[in-house]
Amino acid sequence: MMLSLIGSLRLATHSVGSGLLRTTGALVLTASLVTGCGESGTTTTTSAGGNDEAVTQGKVLRIPMTTNGPQSLDPAEGSTTYENRAVAQVFETLLQYKYLVRPFELEPLMLTELPTISDDGMTWEFELRDDLFFHDSECFEGGVGRKVVSEDVFYSWKRLADPEFRDENWWLLEGVIKGFDEYKAGQLESFQAAVDAGRGDTWTMDYDAPVEGLEVVDDRRFRVVLNKPDYQFKWKLAMFQLSVLPREAVEYFGDKFAENPVGTGPFVVREPTDWQRNKSIVFYRNPDYREAYFPTEARHGSDPEIDAEFKRIAESAGGQRLPLVDRLEYTFFVEENPQWLSFKAGDKDYTTTPPFGYEEAFDVTTGELKRAWEFDGIVPVQVELLDLIFRGFNMDDELVGGYSPEKAALRKAIHACIDYDEVNKTFYNGLCEVYDGPIPPPMDGQGYPPNGRVESVVRGPDYDAARRFLREAGYTIGDDGKVTDLPTIEFYTARGPTQEHTELIQRQLAVIGIELNPHFVDFTTLIEKVNNSAAPMFSYAWGSDYPDPENNFALFLGRNKAPGNNSFNYDRPEFDALYDDAKRLDNSPERTAIYERMRDMLLEDMPYSGSMGRTRTYLIHPWVKNFYPTETFF
């Protein structure tokens, strides 16, 4: 759920188990690598830090990705942090996050300045930069990329309303812009009529049809009129799904556009073969990228050590022309061990640290990097994630779903069995924070409960409470203390590290006879199962797209049900009404009170069991300069 892993200027994210993230752009999870800035500074990044062959190829950044990689390079199709990290190399959004400023602040990326907002918060005025050009591509006349115009922004946003994308990212704009919902409904009606007439395969979206709230002033200036004040809209303008792309490319490449992406970003895909699905992807420097420079602004409002590091990076690289590297080489690792070995061999420039690697590299008592690693120049960085790790329930499922007190009692029984402290110690070296509710610890003051605890929630392991909940749910507990008549629960999660997590939770549940039948699938299949409501119980996590609890609450909106981001198919009209009330307010005690009511409603219905928030440990080779990883907002 939105993530900058290698020193980009643009951040946005959406997580799964111990390293797999889903993002709306998310939750998920996120991950914008836009300029490649900060990874190598003035030092050439090469194989093993000094391979002559790599030197001849310019500065090369070798990036591990702990998954089977992105499944599309089309912004309208992406829903995970892995698409985010890849898409954001090629495409750009109107706004981005300041790289070396915390708390996070937005700044213009494709705009001359931040949008001007009317006093009533309803009308937003925008002006595009005058030096924005799409990549050279055969889709353009003469193969030369043209200048970006206002209409390109609206075309790109309209694609989220296209029935082809099954509302994957429509939640970002639903109900926000005046007349946009009506436009989408009209297009869907037209599509359905074509299907009914047997012409569904030939139907095309009418991108020229007007939307009342999308007004072109001229080629560089445009206006957006909202239905009502929406203080979260500014964050969405930095999310990769709202990237800007040319209509010519989509129409020229058709269903091959995702393999032939054309944007305005600092990197390009030269050939479709540069992307080897489930294996690797290579991005090359855009030779015509406009003038952009490494930032000089740097500050951290709450941590003096990070503040000093930010200022050092800004002093070292500030003012250098972007991007700083010539090529990005992503390698995908479904399993953590090969990635760890690749980093140790010097074949990857940095890595996240798996639990088994943490014990190898760090003194588990002091948390200090071991002397041998320090001697080799390895740099450790710990990053607190805006994280929601959970085990989810499909509320439409006959066994684990439902809204009656009896149905909720089964889910509460499961939650009362799961010992998240044991999960934390076993798989995260005790670095996670266990908390109640959907609001991660870095959002303290916006509905995150004091000390992470809500008094009404029974946390595991409490097997007596779990048995009581099972009886309330109508099940029978035998003389051995185990339930006798509860069917086996089908459980889906990603292959890799989460398999061991599942085995631990199976043992915890087995104490009172609750049985899971685990299905270990690749991440893509997991999301397909969830999107098709075919997973009764499932596990992944959410990395927030932007620093506002509204982003996490959107996971439970009835109108966002699967295949939208509400994978739980949670549907409470009173919850949705509170969500809409909160969106009209900026951060305030009144809004926080609404968020607390929404949090407690979810804890009572329990559409998921959780939560944990991770602190990720990065290890960086000494030849990588001016890089400070971040995955979340704090």
Side-chain angles (χ1 to χ4, degrees), residues 106-302:
L106 293 166
E107 65 180 3
L109 179 58
M110 300 183 74
L111 302 175
T112 58
E113 60 184 359
L114 291 173
T116 302
I117 307 173
S118 62
D119 291 341
D120 63 3
M122 304 276 281
T123 303
W124 296 47
E125 305 273 355
F126 300 81
E127 183 177 6
L128 292 170
R129 295 171 59 113
D130 196 33
D131 56 356
L132 296 172
F133 288 85
F134 290 117
H135 303 150
D136 291 348
S137 168
E138 60 189 289
C139 71
F140 298 117
E141 184 177 353
V144 178
R146 63 166 173 81
K147 182 175 284 191
V148 179
V149 296
S150 298
E151 198 63 61
D152 294 315
V153 178
F154 294 162
Y155 168 77
S156 302
W157 292 3
K158 284 179 177 179
R159 295 184 73 234
L160 272 61
D162 194 323
E164 174 186 354
F165 302 116
R166 300 179 62 215
D167 293 345
E168 182 70 43
N169 294 302
W170 173 243
W171 72 274
L172 286 167
L173 299 175
E174 183 177 23
V176 175
I177 297 171
K178 192 173 183 179
F180 212 164
D181 291 70
E182 290 78 4
Y183 165 82
K184 180 180 185 297
Q187 296 302 307
L188 182 59
E189 183 179 349
S190 172
F191 171 70
Q192 189 59 55
V195 171
D196 293 343
R199 296 181 287 102
D201 293 342
T202 61
W203 180 87
T204 57
M205 181 103 156
D206 183 2
Y207 283 100
D208 296 318
V211 172
E212 185 177 359
L214 299 179
E215 304 175 10
V216 171
V217 179
D218 57 34
D219 279 353
R220 289 179 54 202
R221 294 180 298 155
F222 58 95
R223 182 179 300 117
V224 177
V225 182
L226 307 185
N227 286 314
K228 54 184 177 291
D230 185 342
Y231 288 95
Q232 289 75 38
F233 185 54
K234 61 181 180 293
W235 305 114
K236 296 176 181 178
L237 297 175
M239 292 178 63
F240 80 96
Q241 293 96 328
L242 297 188
S243 296
V244 180
L245 49 87
R247 182 171 182 172
E248 296 97 317
V250 176
E251 294 179 348
Y252 181 86
F253 292 110
D255 59 6
K256 299 296 183 182
F257 172 70
E259 301 167 15
N260 297 272
V262 179
T264 61
F267 294 95
V268 299
V269 175
R270 288 181 178 173
E271 302 289 342
T273 53
D274 289 335
W275 179 17
Q276 302 292 321
R277 286 184 180 271
N278 304 315
K279 182 180 179 182
S280 64
I281 190 169
V282 180
F283 297 98
Y284 297 88
R285 175 197 290 270
N286 172 11
D288 300 315
Y289 192 60
R290 65 183 179 275
E291 286 192 34
Y293 300 93
F294 196 96
T296 56
E297 185 180 6
R299 65 179 179 276
H300 193 292
S302 61

Side-chain angles (χ1 to χ4, degrees), residues 7 23 57 174 201 233 254 363 368 378 416 429 436-437 508 530 543:
T23 160
Q57 299 170 344
E174 183 177 23
D201 293 342
F233 185 54
D363 184 315
E368 298 293 327
I378 303 296
N429 301 292
D436 298 328
Q508 294 172 349
V530 168

